[in-house]
Amino acid sequence: MKYRMGITRRSFLRTTAAAAGFPMIVSSRVFGANERFTLAGIGMGGQGRGDLGGAMGFSEVQVVAVCDVVADHCQQAKRMVDNRYGNSDCKAYEDFRDVVARDDIDAVLIGTPDHWHAIIAIEAMKHGKDVYCEKPETLTVRQGQEMVKVARRYGRVFSGGSQRVWDDYHWFHRMVWGGRIGEPKEAWVGVGGPSEECYLPPEGVPAGVNWDLWLGPAPERAFHGSLIRGGFRQFRDYSGGGMTDWGCHGFGGALYCLQLHETGPVRIVPPDGKDVQRLTYIFDNGVRIYHGGGWGGILSFRGTEGEIPDRTTGTSQSPPNIHVPNYKGRGGIFGDFVHCVRTRQMPFRDVAVAHRTASLCHLGNIAYWLKRPLQWDPVKEQIIGDPVASRWLDRPMRQPWAL
Amino acid sequence: MTSIRAFFVAIIAVLITASAGAQQSAIVQLDEAIKAAADFKPGADSGPMCSIENMAIASLADEPLRAAVEERFIAVLKSGAGVDMKMLCCRLLQTVGTDKCIPVIESLLTDPALSHGARYALGPMESPAAGDALLRGLRRTRGAMQAGVINTLADRREPRAMTAFVQLLRSDDPQVASAAARGLGRLGGDDAVEALRTARTTASDALIDDINDALLVCAEKYLSDGLNDKAYVTYNHLSGHRPIARLRGIVAARGSDSAAFLATAIKDSNGQMQKSAIALVPLLKGAAATSAFVEVLASLSAEGQELMIRALGERGDATATAAIAAATRSEHEQVRLAAVDALGAAGDASAVSVLAAAAAKAAGAEKLVARASLARLGAPGVDAALLKVSAHSDAAIRAESIRALADRKAVDAKNRVLEASRDDDQVVRREAIRAAGILADRGDLPAMIALMVLPKEPADRSVIEQAIVSVFARVEDKTVQADSVLRALTSAPVEARPSLLKLLRIPGTPDALAAVRAGLAVGDESIRDAAVRTLADWPDAAPADDLLRIVNSDSSRVHKVLALRGYVRMAGLSQNGTAMYARAMELARTVDDRKLVLAGLGNADSADALALVEKHMADEALKAEAALAAVQIADRLRIRDATGAKAALTRVVAAEVDGGVRKKAQDIINEMEQFEGYILTWLTAGPYIVKGKDSRAVFDAVLGPETSEAVKWQRLDKGVGAWDINLESMYGGRDHVAAYVKTRVWSPKPQEARLELGSDDAIKVWLNGKLVHANYQHRGLQPRQDTVDVNLKEGHNDLMLKVVDHEGGWQFCARIRKPGGSAIADIRIQTE
């Protein structure tokens, strides 16, 4: 593979700008309240295309490029964008580095598999782009830490993509923040389990798929069609399984409800088939979050003065009329991102909060995989007294990729 | 050796032998799996690979076993085994490996197919020996592999790599040079900074960005080490590169001293740069910094002003109050809104008049935000400033300041508020009365009662009444509540007495009741009306007979209805409720009155009330109300008398009444029965695994009872709960495993039915040998997760389930219901 990491704007412009013949695109350099910013979609499978379609619903956004290592995904996305704008100006790319090198792109929307999120987000932010990234935002704890540092260093707006944390669960936030269950003590989050090793049989790489670039930092393995059709989620090299997939929604909701979204647990205990029935996160203030169980589907809470949802009436009770901080802009989570791109405020699912949620999920997976409890320092973000478990906080990337 | 000591020595020997035996068995299994997986290729049977993985993880709890596992993996890496097997060993050595495996892994760093695998293992290892191996590997690798080694050393923050990184920064290979730049950034320190800056002078364009990014990282490390001067120098030399990052760094390095610099940067930039610069404003503290930022405010666009004002508000420095206050008069709504909001965070007492004016004059969001800001102004002297403004000549401003005093719970403002309760302006008066309700205490009751007696306008009385009720809520002593009213009642003018009487329902004391009763005999119709209404709303059943007399009297129709309604409500409060309900029904002469009684009965929760309403379900004119009341009562009654409540609900379901009421009744029954009727009698066979395969494979595989082979069934007698079955109690905690359970369902006739199932995790169901349901899921157990419509034949029906555990809990529940979800009474469950 031809090495191209660290491609610079200057070299890019010198070699390609003259030949590119880009269409007239609204400059992003000075955009105000009534002007647009330019957006590129990277990772245009089903989820990414869906997100990009939603982004085009905002008048402040102009999609100018799409990118995917699967040509068919890329072309579908380009057609969607062109149809929306009634032209053929959207540029299609295979390599995200070509996208982030463009000076005229203000922001990127990342819908790739999880193992790519950190690299693309960091490169984009280094090149001056704001980032909207699908959840799970990271594959490892250390990736999340690096993303937070880079976002702050380069002054970028980064929004994670767990829209359910507010949209689906705001009733719970109002109820718990409003004191309806007294002091919260326990929460149950009903989401799937960890990912596993991949032993899928090899298939021939079809035309139009850059398999090496799909793999990117993940260990070398043969192509299998299910991996590019969303089946990557159950495999450890690319994702954290249901634990991170729906976990970022469910645990994100639980953490925000309990106002623990800017910290982490101090102990993670996997089930042992005897005394511990469910993976348990224990926080410094005594609150426990359980993986699975409960009666409310995704979320259930119990406090000193009650529990929610009601086992008879569900979530039909009117919550207290209190203000719980959420999106700053209008139009859901992407509207929040759009608002913050303009004002440079931190979005609701700011990178630091998204990282904390994903980290919680990763720590649960480590406890499941190693089948033993972990002690966690949420301030230093380190596993205490278990160097072997600490090895799982990150994974060396396949050359030449790095954060 | 004593006999006891010998005994224990023997026991320990047996245990060690047993343990050693178990270990030996595990090692034998591992050796077999390794042999089987030696030439593994994806697509082949992954069973051996899975076994190896599981055994490696399990060995973490057993040091001798772990050592044996590591030894085996080392042997594999030295052998001619395939790449996939070797890669698996590298990945597992990342977890189980020690210094012992480092030499063989190091040798793989130069193998293009396994270099990544080697780094996968070495990178996270905490031992310095892993760093040594990587450093040696750095010298022996080239190109992409060398770049990979650099990256791994950088991620380890290996200080001994500094010299090599400096040298490799000059590599002709761009990926190596780039990795070296990144590596120097990770290491940081003076040597790294110097090397990077030196290299930058001759670097290619491709490398310069990487070098500059690395310098940013070095500068950040200087900051975290407290070396702000060095950080500043480093940032300063990054002119033209990543301007926002550079600006942030300089500001962080120089702290408040950089305020002027930042202010200039804000003024001289535009677009994203300006906004990013403004976002740094909250980082710098101090009045001097505030002044610098305030100075540039006027030069900014409306959007820039909005952002700057928000940033100033976030700083919380009252020095900015005047400037922000001035912005509340901006022609741009967004600026005004930001200013009004920011004043709440950063303003002092001088902001009060501005905010009060904004709240008074603005509309929509601006008004709400101004009110919120007045409520949260935290500086000293704000309440005093509000008191002053509450005397403003502009009535709207007076009203807003009084509202703010209430919102702030400024109890010292009570007297002013009470005074304003007689303001000439109605809006001000109403606002003041409401505020009095929030701020006043028992000592102020006489004044508030006096206000009720003699308000500025008679129409104010309803608002005053609400305010007094609010104060009553804070006065626990009912006698004090009542006396405050009774004292005024005797001398109050006629027009004030109805309002005073209505207040007496709150304390509800005997003296209060006496006064209200006395009101019934008064000739004035408004007083009498108030007395009837107050009695009907009385907090207990004391005036029940009074209300009966009103119903039986020649009072107006309105009073009779009110009295009857009140009487029915009191039946629910009384110990004698049954008799009262019956009496109320007797007194209800018209269909409308009876419906009224039934509606009131719907608030009851006793079996007697239920029986009473059910009697009227046969009455065509009343059955709708009776059925609804029955459902409402049963819903409350079920906590104490589930049997009675369910019986009544069942009758409603069977009755010819509104479909919505019947559905509501059935829904409550279903809810009551959600944990009832589950099948707890089973035979079981298992556990079944598919060697080396996961839960999906186990789910898909045709195993044991699904085949023709003989199966040993046993009674499922462990883990049987009230409604759920925990298979782990039967078979132990396992993952990727299945168990089968079977039972027989006898039905007197062919009939449609519904299977209601729950499972943790996946489940398959056969009825009479036919697969009727299959659901592969990873989930926790809850009732009614799956429902399956089935047909039972007359006689015995064979029901078999296959429950598959992925990871974690392993449970299921199953029951058979009618298609609508209600219980089937005539089936029997029995095992063979």
Side-chain angles (χ1 to χ4, degrees):
Chain A
M1 182 190 69
K2 184 182 171 190
Y3 174 70
R4 293 169 59 209
M5 183 62 103
I7 188 166
T8 68
R9 283 168 293 178
R10 277 174 286 172
S11 63
F12 177 83
L13 288 170
R14 202 176 298 154
T15 58
T16 63
F22 291 116
M24 184 65 180
I25 290 173
V26 174
S27 167
S28 65
R29 296 302 94 203
V30 182
F31 80 89
N34 298 316
E35 296 178 48
R36 288 177 154 189
F37 67 84
T38 52
L39 179 74
I42 302 175
M44 293 285 98
Q47 186 66 51
R49 281 202 306 279
D51 289 349
L52 197 69
M56 286 197 288
F58 290 84
S59 59
E60 300 94 327
V61 174
Q62 183 179 3
V63 175
V64 298
V66 292
C67 175
D68 202 289
V69 299
V70 178
D72 183 53
H73 292 171
C74 205
Q75 288 306 316
Q76 282 189 57
K78 174 180 159 58
R79 275 197 298 276
M80 179 181 76
V81 174
D82 288 343
N83 284 345
R84 176 64 186 241
Y85 295 132
N87 55 39
S88 56
D89 295 347
C90 178
K91 193 94 165 77
Y93 298 89
E94 182 184 81
D95 193 324
F96 76 93
R97 288 168 294 186
D98 294 329
V99 175
V100 302
R102 279 178 61 170
D103 274 345
D104 59 332
I105 288 177
D106 301 306
V108 299
L109 182 153
I110 301 174
T112 64
D114 310 356
H115 66 292
W116 264 115
H117 287 176
I119 294 177
I120 296 174
I122 286 172
E123 278 303 299
M125 288 191 284
K126 280 184 182 175
H127 284 82
K129 278 75 172 135
D130 295 324
V131 172
Y132 178 89
C133 182
E134 260 295 338
K135 55 81 199 163
E137 290 81 359
T138 62
L139 184 64
T140 70
V141 172
R142 294 286 177 243
Q143 286 181 6
Q145 292 171 331
E146 192 64 22
M147 284 159 78
V148 173
K149 279 188 204 163
V150 170
R152 301 294 183 252
R153 183 183 306 147
Y154 293 92
R156 305 324 310 170
V157 170
F158 180 115
S159 174
S162 297
Q163 82 284 5
R164 294 182 190 273
V165 170
W166 181 256
D167 295 352
D168 287 17
Y169 312 137
H170 59 84
W171 180 88
F172 290 94
H173 303 321
R174 290 199 171 97
M175 292 293 282
V176 177
W177 284 48
R180 286 288 175 87
I181 62 169
E183 189 187 332
K185 289 294 188 190
E186 296 171 290
W188 289 259
V189 178
V191 297
S195 49
E196 55 201 24
E197 289 300 322
C198 178
Y199 296 113
L200 290 170
E203 294 175 353
V205 181
V209 175
N210 187 332
W211 179 238
D212 186 69
L213 199 52
W214 189 96
L215 280 174
E220 179 90 36
R221 65 143 287 127
F223 173 85
H224 189 280
S226 69
L227 294 174
I228 65 170
R229 291 191 295 268
F232 65 87
R233 285 198 180 83
Q234 58 179 303
F235 300 118
R236 198 174 294 156
D237 283 342
Y238 322 115
S239 181
M243 208 45 187
T244 55
D245 181 26
W246 266 86
C248 281
H249 290 316
F251 287 113
L255 288 170
Y256 193 60
C257 218
L258 298 165
Q259 299 188 55
L260 295 170
H261 51 288
E262 293 176 321
T263 181
V266 292
R267 199 160 153 73
I268 303 103
V269 186
D272 60 9
K274 293 180 296 209
D275 303 314
V276 182
Q277 291 294 309
R278 306 197 175 280
L279 180 90
T280 305
Y281 297 98
I282 302 171
F283 288 77
D284 203 30
N285 60 0
V287 168
R288 291 175 177 233
I289 300 180
Y290 306 106
H291 175 215
W295 57 96
I298 299 287
L299 290 180
S300 312
F301 294 88
R302 180 175 294 146
T304 53
E305 294 175 27
E307 59 183 29
I308 53 170
D310 186 281
R311 294 184 195 240
T312 306
T313 61
T315 58
S316 62
Q317 184 186 357
S318 293
N321 187 19
I322 60 162
H323 174 65
V324 176
N326 60 94
Y327 304 139
K328 295 180 179 68
R330 289 197 184 141
I333 192 168
F334 199 81
D336 184 46
F337 174 67
V338 168
H339 175 93
C340 293
V341 165
R342 183 178 74 79
T343 64
R344 314 315 296 166
Q345 292 171 286
M346 277 195 206
F348 178 62
R349 293 302 290 173
D350 171 64
V351 61
V353 172
H355 155 60
R356 286 287 187 174
T357 300
S359 288
L360 182 102
C361 303
H362 296 320
L363 289 169
N365 273 344
I366 294 172
Y368 271 126
W369 291 328
L370 294 181
K371 296 179 171 40
R372 65 189 193 212
L374 306 175
Q375 266 189 274
W376 178 249
D377 182 335
V379 175
K380 293 181 184 167
E381 295 190 84
Q382 293 171 359
I383 291 176
I384 300 170
D386 192 343
V388 168
S390 298
R391 298 177 186 179
W392 288 65
L393 293 174
D394 200 11
R395 297 171 216 175
M397 293 184 171
R398 194 167 67 109
Q399 50 269 19
W401 302 102
L403 294 183
Chain B
M1 185 188 292
T2 65
S3 60
I4 292 174
R5 185 157 181 258
F7 173 76
F8 279 110
V9 166
I11 291 293
I12 291 167
V14 166
L15 288 173
I16 289 173
T17 304
S19 172
Q23 265 175 27
Q24 198 54 37
S25 169
I27 291 170
V28 165
Q29 283 182 39
L30 177 63
D31 286 337
E32 283 173 7
I34 288 174
K35 190 175 169 190
D39 293 315
F40 173 80
K41 291 263 184 297
D45 177 17
S46 62
M49 305 285 264
C50 292
S51 294
I52 294 168
E53 187 188 340
N54 290 338
M55 278 186 261
I57 297 298
S59 78
L60 290 173
D62 182 338
E63 177 50 31
L65 185 58
R66 187 215 58 77
V69 168
E70 183 182 27
E71 198 180 294
R72 265 61 179 178
F73 290 165
I74 291 171
V76 168
L77 291 176
K78 287 179 178 172
S79 74
V83 166
D84 293 285
M85 181 60 194
K86 287 190 176 184
M87 189 65 186
L88 178 67
C89 288
C90 285
R91 288 157 67 106
L92 292 173
L93 282 169
Q94 180 255 17
T95 302
V96 302
T98 64
D99 284 8
K100 209 169 168 198
C101 69
I102 289 176
V104 68
I105 294 178
E106 180 187 336
S107 69
L108 301 176
L109 286 170
T110 52
D111 183 337
L114 290 167
S115 185
H116 177 222
R119 289 191 294 110
Y120 201 97
L122 290 174
M125 279 189 189
E126 59 283 356
S127 165
D132 293 337
L134 286 163
L135 284 166
R136 288 191 292 267
L138 191 60
R139 292 194 287 274
R140 292 172 22 234
T141 51
R142 293 291 179 271
M145 283 189 287
Q146 190 178 48
V149 175
I150 294 171
N151 288 331
T152 301
L153 280 164
D155 289 338
R156 287 175 63 90
R157 305 293 194 278
E158 179 57 71
R160 294 173 294 162
M162 178 74 76
T163 306
F165 285 177
V166 171
Q167 189 183 5
L168 290 168
L169 190 57
R170 296 190 292 272
S171 170
D172 291 331
D173 186 328
Q175 61 187 329
V176 170
S178 175
R182 174 183 172 273
L184 287 168
R186 293 275 167 150
L187 294 182
D190 296 348
D191 292 341
V193 169
E194 188 184 333
L196 288 164
R197 281 167 55 180
T198 303
R200 193 171 54 175
T201 58
T202 55
S204 66
D205 284 347
L207 191 55
I208 283 178
D209 271 359
D210 295 332
I211 289 174
N212 285 333
D213 283 333
L215 283 167
L216 280 172
V217 179
C218 288
E220 207 166 271
K221 188 165 187 306
Y222 277 142
L223 282 176
S224 65
D225 290 342
L227 301 170
N228 284 25
D229 287 343
K230 288 190 176 182
Y232 176 75
V233 168
T234 309
Y235 282 122
N236 226 5
H237 276 94
L238 285 167
S239 177
H241 176 78
R242 313 282 195 233
I244 293 173
R246 179 171 168 258
L247 181 61
R248 290 178 73 92
I250 288 174
V251 168
R254 275 286 176 259
S256 299
D257 291 345
S258 60
F261 168 75
L262 181 58
T264 304
I266 291 170
K267 191 175 167 188
D268 293 347
S269 63
N270 56 18
Q272 292 293 343
M273 184 67 200
Q274 185 183 70
K275 290 178 201 176
S276 296
I278 293 173
L280 300 176
V281 163
L283 298 178
L284 299 179
K285 308 296 178 194
T290 305
S291 300
F293 300 135
V294 166
E295 220 172 285
V296 302
L297 196 55
S299 67
L300 301 176
S301 66
E303 189 178 37
Q305 287 185 19
E306 176 199 350
L307 297 176
M308 177 61 94
I309 287 166
R310 290 197 185 278
L312 287 170
E314 208 177 313
R315 294 178 76 257
D317 181 2
T319 314
T321 301
I324 300 174
T328 62
R329 296 185 292 275
S330 168
E331 59 176 320
H332 302 285
E333 184 188 356
Q334 74 204 83
V335 175
R336 292 197 305 272
L337 199 55
V340 163
D341 194 22
L343 280 178
D348 57 21
S350 68
V352 165
S353 54
V354 171
L355 285 172
K361 305 303 175 196
E366 215 174 314
K367 188 184 211 55
L368 293 178
V369 173
R371 284 176 173 170
S373 286
L374 277 171
R376 70 183 157 113
L377 265 174
V382 169
D383 288 353
L386 276 168
L387 268 174
K388 200 169 164 193
V389 172
S390 73
H392 200 280
S393 57
D394 186 315
I397 292 177
R398 290 203 300 279
E400 291 297 335
S401 59
I402 289 169
R403 171 190 274 264
L405 285 166
D407 290 343
R408 295 172 65 85
K409 306 287 191 291
V411 292
D412 289 346
K414 268 190 305 184
N415 291 342
R416 169 66 191 125
V417 157
L418 283 168
E419 181 194 343
S421 299
R422 294 180 189 284
D423 195 285
D424 289 336
D425 183 274
Q426 186 190 69
V427 173
V428 175
R429 276 204 314 277
R430 298 284 169 96
E431 205 60 69
I433 293 168
R434 187 188 71 88
I438 294 169
L439 300 177
D441 58 29
R442 59 189 282 171
D444 303 305
L445 276 174
M448 294 193 69
I449 298 293
L451 187 64
M452 170 76 96
V453 170
L454 201 60
K456 181 79 174 177
E457 292 289 334
D460 291 344
R461 282 203 175 95
S462 60
V463 184
I464 298 168
E465 180 185 335
Q466 287 171 25
I468 293 173
V469 170
S470 297
V471 178
F472 276 176
R474 296 193 293 278
V475 177
E476 283 183 18
D477 191 332
K478 300 283 184 189
T479 308
V480 169
Q481 292 175 11
D483 286 352
S484 67
V485 178
L486 291 170
R487 267 195 293 272
L489 192 58
T490 48
S491 57
V494 166
E495 60 270 19
R497 289 189 196 178
S499 298
L500 291 172
L501 285 177
K502 283 186 209 162
L503 282 172
L504 289 172
R505 79 187 186 281
I506 304 294
T509 63
D511 287 346
L513 182 55
V516 176
R517 280 176 175 147
L520 288 173
V522 169
D524 183 275
E525 189 51 39
S526 67
I527 295 175
R528 185 175 152 70
D529 179 74
V532 172
R533 290 177 187 275
T534 304
L535 287 178
D537 281 343
W538 207 250
D540 57 39
D545 288 341
D546 301 274
L547 293 171
L548 263 186
R549 279 192 285 277
I550 293 171
V551 173
N552 281 324
S553 72
D554 57 359
S555 294
S556 68
R557 174 76 188 144
V558 167
H559 283 176
K560 287 187 179 191
V561 168
L562 284 170
L564 184 60
R565 207 178 267 161
Y567 184 79
V568 171
R569 183 178 65 81
M570 281 170 200
L573 302 173
S574 168
Q575 300 291 334
N576 207 20
T578 309
M580 288 179 70
Y581 286 131
R583 188 82 179 100
M585 214 41 149
E586 284 170 20
L587 290 172
R589 301 265 152 75
T590 67
V591 168
D592 285 344
D593 283 352
R594 293 196 193 102
K595 286 183 179 179
L596 192 155
V597 174
L598 286 170
L601 273 163
N603 294 316
D605 63 357
S606 71
D608 292 332
L610 185 56
L612 184 59
V613 302
E614 280 200 277
K615 268 167 54 176
H616 296 281
M617 277 178 58
D619 185 334
E620 196 60 36
L622 297 174
K623 68 177 182 182
E625 286 77 12
L628 180 60
V631 171
Q632 290 167 334
I633 296 170
D635 198 14
R636 277 187 217 97
L637 182 63
R638 63 180 166 128
I639 296 170
R640 297 192 316 275
D641 180 6
T643 306
K646 193 192 292 190
L649 290 165
T650 305
R651 288 190 287 273
V652 171
V653 170
E656 286 184 13
V657 292
D658 175 69
V661 175
R662 282 189 284 119
K663 183 180 181 308
K664 170 86 176 145
Q666 185 60 59
D667 287 347
I668 296 171
I669 292 172
N670 290 346
E671 190 60 41
M672 291 172 72
E673 292 179 345
Q674 66 172 313
F675 295 111
E676 290 180 10
Y678 279 89
I679 302 171
L680 303 176
T681 308
W682 300 93
L683 296 177
T684 184
Y688 291 91
I689 61 168
V690 178
K691 205 169 173 187
K693 298 282 194 187
D694 65 5
S695 61
R696 180 79 223 197
V698 175
F699 181 80
D700 290 335
V702 174
L703 304 166
E706 296 178 61
T707 69
S708 54
E709 69 184 50
V711 171
K712 184 168 177 288
W713 293 93
Q714 57 180 318
R715 194 155 299 281
L716 201 166
D717 54 7
K718 295 192 188 66
V720 178
W723 57 278
D724 54 328
I725 312 277
N726 187 347
L727 288 164
E728 288 191 338
S729 299
M730 193 74 194
Y731 295 112
R734 293 165 184 249
D735 298 326
H736 308 287
V737 63
Y740 292 83
V741 296
K742 70 173 183 178
T743 194
R744 302 194 96 186
V745 180
W746 183 88
S747 175
K749 59 181 189 290
Q751 58 179 316
E752 291 177 346
R754 185 163 93 180
L755 273 173
E756 293 185 352
L757 307 156
S759 64
D760 178 352
D761 296 280
I763 190 167
K764 278 185 175 174
V765 182
W766 291 263
L767 183 65
N768 295 323
K770 185 178 164 211
L771 181 70
V772 295
H773 182 64
N775 189 1
Y776 181 76
Q777 283 275 353
H778 299 175
R779 64 187 179 186
L781 176 69
Q782 291 188 37
R784 287 184 291 164
Q785 287 170 314
D786 302 340
T787 56
V788 186
D789 293 327
V790 296
N791 289 300
L792 297 175
K793 65 180 187 197
E794 181 181 340
H796 289 291
N797 293 264
D798 292 316
L799 178 66
M800 184 170 80
L801 277 51
K802 176 182 184 180
V803 183
V804 178
D805 177 44
H806 176 69
E807 287 181 9
W810 188 18
Q811 301 167 276
F812 77 96
C813 63
R815 68 179 183 181
I816 300 178
R817 311 288 276 181
K818 285 185 184 169
S822 57
I824 294 185
D826 54 357
I827 60 170
R828 292 200 301 275
I829 308 295
Q830 61 193 74
T831 57
E832 289 170 316

